[in-house]
Amino acid sequence: MIISSFFCFIILLSLFGYSFLYKKIINKNIKFKIYNSEVFYGILLITLISLFINFFFPLKFFTLPIVIIGLLIFLFSFKNKVFQIKFSYYFYIIFLINFFIYYNGPNIDSPLYHLQTLNWMILNKINLGITNLNIRFGVNSSWHSFIALMNVSFTNISLKYYLSSIIFAILSYEIFFKKKFETEDIFLFLSVSFTLTFALIHPFVNGPILNHMGNPEVDTVAMFLFIFSFYYFIKLYDNNFTDLTSSLNIFVVIIFLAVTTKLSNISLIFLLLIIIYLNKNYKIINISNILVGVTSLFWLFRSFLISGCFIFPIKKTCIETPWSNLADTEFIAKVIQSYTRDTRLRAKWTDFDHTLNSYDWFIPWFNDYFLNTSLLKISATLSILSSLLLIIVFLNRILKKKNNKKIKRNYFIPVLTFFLISIYIWHKAPEIRFGSGLIISLPCFLLALIISKFKLKEYFTHYKTLTTIIILFIFLGLKHFKNFDFKHLILINKGNSKYEYIEKIAEIDGIEIFQSLHSKCGDFPKICVNKKRENYKITSEFGYRIFLN
């Protein structure tokens, strides 16, 4: 725990160094300060560097130099007192997070394909058509590009299992030093408290949300980014867009990272469009947005090279190439939706007429999945009760002819539209891991509105909120105290120690291909697949390996 926390903290400092570099690029000679949320500038810059380098080289050769350069930049900028951050708090938060995720086991997707996806970037320069080995290798997450470059790894330590704790720490830290709590701050506090409380009371380890942490997955990171994006939207909207350029630039960056981390966050683009529409003076073409645009192009191009699709697995974005696998791409897109719309018995997930071409699936899904999933029931109950109370307050004010300025500004219309769009997108694949950000944000936002309407914000203070979050973290750690041993403070328990049930199935022109008989390739260092194909076609052009369909 201590070792992983220390190295995650070092990575965080390096990220703040790159955030300073990013702001130096976009601000030229203007003096500036760096605040907590601006660490996402550093994450974007690392993602851009990772995508670019991997077109030509394996990332493993660049991890330490990149981290060290970031640290040197951080030390320089720290000496010049540009950071408005208390970094000691960050170490404590990261340690508390790593303490409870230490006891999380491997999830399903990471040994299935996430770890192999990372290996393709860490150990190899980009290979074309890797979806012909495993169709899931086409999933192109910017978070994976980030952790592939920042994966400090030696002996039995590999940070790829722990880096998600940094994003959770950023989200938590944002609450800590608020002198005055507005609606957006209350929303963020409630969201973090909801997440920790649910993990605390859930009987299975840390619950279905935080159980994924401790794995190099994208679901929890996408959730945190969704929450942070919505928090920033409320902040911009309620503050009438003060500090316009800087605030909007970081908003663009966060939404880009959220959407490219997991496509199910795509509804966040609607929030961005609202903010841009309401700000006629914002210059969309600026250096920061150009960097976002370049990163987007690299992200799209990487997706095209590995799968033949610019946005995998959306078939309409695919182009017929020698390495494209359009049939499997279309099939996996249908499977993702169909599987999540089935009941837990998974009896009809291959019946697309039932799950995709009609709404016959909804009532069985609702009765079996929705009504047996505690997170959905809690979220829905809070959302419905909060909505009813807000409607009563709204009608009461109309009857008393007390106009509300925010209502006149149509505050609720864009937010309501956003949530309806998000729910519609989520219903395409209605499983909590595809919508955990939405599931937590909706009730927490409605509760934050109620607190604001009833003028209860004064009860939210720096001391009370900081104490609450720290206590929740501590209690979540104590939940696992019965399993605790002092040696856990030093030991690392993530990663494969041995590779069982993996056998060689082919060798083509010196290229070995292995298969995991249990669909758990994990981080096996050679080409590993879960399902054997009848034959493999491999060629090479200009030094790039191409796996043909």
Side-chain angles (χ1 to χ4, degrees):
M1 299 172 188
I2 292 177
I3 295 175
S4 59
S5 299
F6 172 76
F7 280 106
C8 283
F9 183 66
I10 293 297
I11 295 294
L12 179 74
L13 299 184
S14 183
L15 288 176
F16 273 109
Y18 282 105
S19 297
F20 173 81
L21 177 61
Y22 189 100
K23 289 202 74 172
K24 198 72 175 173
I25 293 170
I26 65 176
N27 287 293
K28 297 181 180 179
N29 297 321
I30 302 173
K31 291 185 178 180
F32 56 82
K33 298 291 184 181
I34 294 179
Y35 300 91
N36 178 57
S37 61
E38 291 177 318
V39 69
F40 289 108
Y41 284 142
I43 294 175
L44 175 74
L45 196 55
I46 291 297
T47 303
L48 171 59
I49 294 169
S50 175
L51 288 166
F52 177 75
I53 290 176
N54 196 228
F55 286 129
F56 309 102
F57 305 101
L59 295 177
K60 66 178 182 178
F61 301 115
F62 297 86
T63 297
L64 283 179
I66 291 294
V67 172
I68 291 170
I69 290 170
L71 276 175
L72 293 175
I73 298 172
F74 169 80
L75 292 173
F76 169 80
S77 50
F78 184 80
K79 184 179 179 181
N80 288 279
K81 299 179 179 180
V82 301
F83 296 107
Q84 304 299 296
I85 296 158
K86 296 182 179 181
F87 288 101
S88 58
Y89 279 78
Y90 253 122
F91 180 80
Y92 299 139
I93 300 169
I94 290 172
F95 174 76
L96 289 173
I97 294 170
N98 281 334
F99 187 95
F100 72 77
I101 69 174
Y102 181 90
Y103 299 100
N104 286 348
N107 63 2
I108 295 174
D109 286 345
S110 289
L112 182 68
Y113 73 98
H114 286 159
L115 288 163
Q116 281 297 301
T117 297
L118 290 172
N119 273 0
W120 280 105
M121 292 182 276
I122 295 170
L123 305 178
N124 307 273
K125 69 178 179 181
I126 196 164
N127 281 242
L128 283 66
I130 56 175
T131 50
N132 291 304
L133 294 171
N134 183 340
I135 192 64
R136 291 180 175 85
F137 289 164
V139 176
N140 181 28
S141 173
S142 61
W143 177 246
H144 279 159
S145 292
F146 168 80
I147 60 178
L149 182 56
M150 302 306 277
N151 176 43
V152 174
S153 181
F154 56 91
T155 60
N156 63 338
I157 298 173
S158 185
L159 282 194
K160 58 178 176 264
Y161 297 96
Y162 297 95
L163 288 174
S164 58
S165 65
I166 292 177
I167 305 299
F168 196 9
I170 295 168
L171 195 72
S172 303
Y173 182 93
E174 186 74 10
I175 309 166
F176 281 2
F177 299 101
K178 298 290 184 181
K179 295 180 180 179
K180 183 180 179 182
F181 274 74
E182 301 297 341
T183 302
E184 66 271 14
D185 306 310
I186 296 170
F187 160 75
L188 191 59
F189 167 73
L190 292 176
S191 297
V192 174
S193 299
F194 183 109
T195 303
L196 292 172
T197 302
F198 183 76
L200 180 62
I201 64 176
H202 199 279
F204 180 62
V205 196
N206 294 310
I209 304 175
L210 297 186
N211 271 351
H212 291 291
M213 296 189 71
N215 292 276
E217 47 79 47
V218 299
D219 297 333
T220 49
V221 172
M223 177 191 76
F224 295 141
L225 291 172
F226 185 101
I227 293 170
F228 208 94
S229 298
F230 189 70
Y231 156 77
Y232 229 83
F233 169 78
I234 308 171
K235 181 178 180 179
L236 286 168
Y237 204 100
D238 277 353
N239 294 343
N240 294 313
F241 316 106
T242 54
D243 192 18
L244 177 63
T245 300
S246 177
S247 296
L248 271 174
N249 283 345
I250 192 62
F251 186 53
V252 172
V253 168
I254 295 169
I255 286 185
F256 167 79
L257 292 171
V259 172
T260 56
T261 291
K262 197 170 182 68
L263 287 175
S264 55
N265 281 342
I266 198 168
S267 61
L268 292 169
I269 294 176
F270 178 74
L271 297 182
L272 180 61
L273 294 176
I274 292 172
I275 295 298
I276 292 175
Y277 174 77
L278 293 174
N279 284 271
K280 309 296 184 183
N281 297 325
Y282 177 61
K283 295 180 180 179
I284 298 177
I285 300 177
N286 58 52
I287 297 174
S288 179
N289 288 345
I290 289 172
L291 288 172
V292 173
V294 172
T295 310
S296 301
L297 290 176
F298 285 168
W299 179 76
L300 290 168
F301 188 50
R302 180 181 188 275
S303 184
F304 172 70
L305 292 181
I306 63 176
S307 68
C309 305
F310 288 103
I311 303 176
F312 181 89
I314 302 175
K315 187 181 177 182
K316 291 181 179 179
T317 69
C318 303
I319 296 176
E320 187 70 54
T321 67
W323 65 86
S324 300
N325 192 341
L326 302 186
D328 281 0
T329 298
E330 184 178 20
F331 180 73
I332 195 67
K334 290 180 178 180
V335 166
I336 291 170
Q337 292 187 60
S338 183
Y339 190 83
T340 56
R341 289 180 171 189
D342 198 5
T343 64
R344 291 173 297 170
L345 294 175
R346 307 302 179 194
K348 292 190 175 183
W349 69 272
T350 57
D351 184 357
F352 294 160
D353 286 333
H354 172 78
T355 56
L356 301 182
N357 302 327
S358 71
Y359 275 90
D360 295 343
W361 62 272
F362 182 76
I363 297 300
W365 170 87
F366 183 82
N367 290 332
D368 180 75
Y369 184 78
F370 188 96
L371 294 181
N372 286 286
T373 303
S374 54
L375 179 63
L376 291 175
K377 289 190 290 184
I378 292 170
S379 176
T381 302
L382 289 174
S383 298
I384 292 169
L385 293 177
S386 300
S387 297
L388 290 174
L389 184 56
L390 285 170
I391 290 171
I392 293 170
V393 171
F394 178 75
L395 293 175
N396 183 56
R397 291 192 175 189
I398 290 179
L399 292 174
K400 291 184 177 181
K401 297 182 179 180
K402 291 184 177 181
N403 292 324
N404 185 289
K405 292 183 180 180
K406 291 185 179 179
I407 293 175
K408 290 176 71 176
R409 285 178 58 200
N410 294 321
Y411 179 84
F412 296 104
I413 293 176
V415 171
L416 176 61
T417 305
F418 165 69
F419 280 122
L420 289 176
I421 292 172
S422 299
I423 292 170
Y424 173 77
I425 292 172
W426 181 66
H427 107 287
K428 296 286 187 179
E431 193 173 281
I432 57 174
R433 66 191 182 96
F434 289 107
S436 49
L438 165 68
I439 293 164
I440 292 173
S441 294
L442 180 55
C444 291
F445 171 67
L446 294 172
L447 288 171
L449 279 182
I450 290 171
I451 290 167
S452 298
K453 296 300 179 186
F454 284 93
K455 299 180 180 180
L456 301 174
K457 292 190 287 187
E458 62 188 51
Y459 294 101
F460 289 78
T461 64
H462 158 67
Y463 176 77
K464 291 178 181 177
T465 53
L466 175 62
T467 303
T468 301
I469 296 299
I470 293 297
I471 288 175
L472 285 172
F473 271 123
I474 291 173
F475 272 110
L476 190 53
L478 291 175
K479 180 181 179 181
H480 305 287
F481 195 73
K482 62 181 179 180
N483 300 318
F484 174 74
D485 191 303
F486 280 103
K487 65 183 180 181
H488 294 167
L489 294 173
I490 304 299
L491 291 178
I492 305 294
N493 71 334
K494 305 293 182 183
N496 290 6
S497 56
K498 52 186 176 180
Y499 304 102
E500 297 180 324
Y501 307 107
I502 294 178
E503 61 181 28
K504 183 176 175 180
I505 58 172
E507 183 171 351
I508 303 167
D509 297 329
I511 300 171
E512 295 179 312
I513 300 176
F514 293 78
Q515 179 188 12
S516 170
L517 302 180
H518 288 182
S519 296
K520 292 183 179 180
C521 286
D523 53 7
F524 186 71
K526 296 185 179 182
I527 297 175
C528 186
V529 299
N530 298 316
K531 185 178 179 181
K532 183 179 179 180
R533 292 184 59 172
E534 290 184 6
N535 59 76
Y536 294 92
K537 301 175 185 177
I538 306 174
T539 187
S540 181
E541 294 286 343
F542 305 107
Y544 287 89
R545 195 162 51 191
I546 306 172
F547 294 89
L548 303 173
N549 184 15

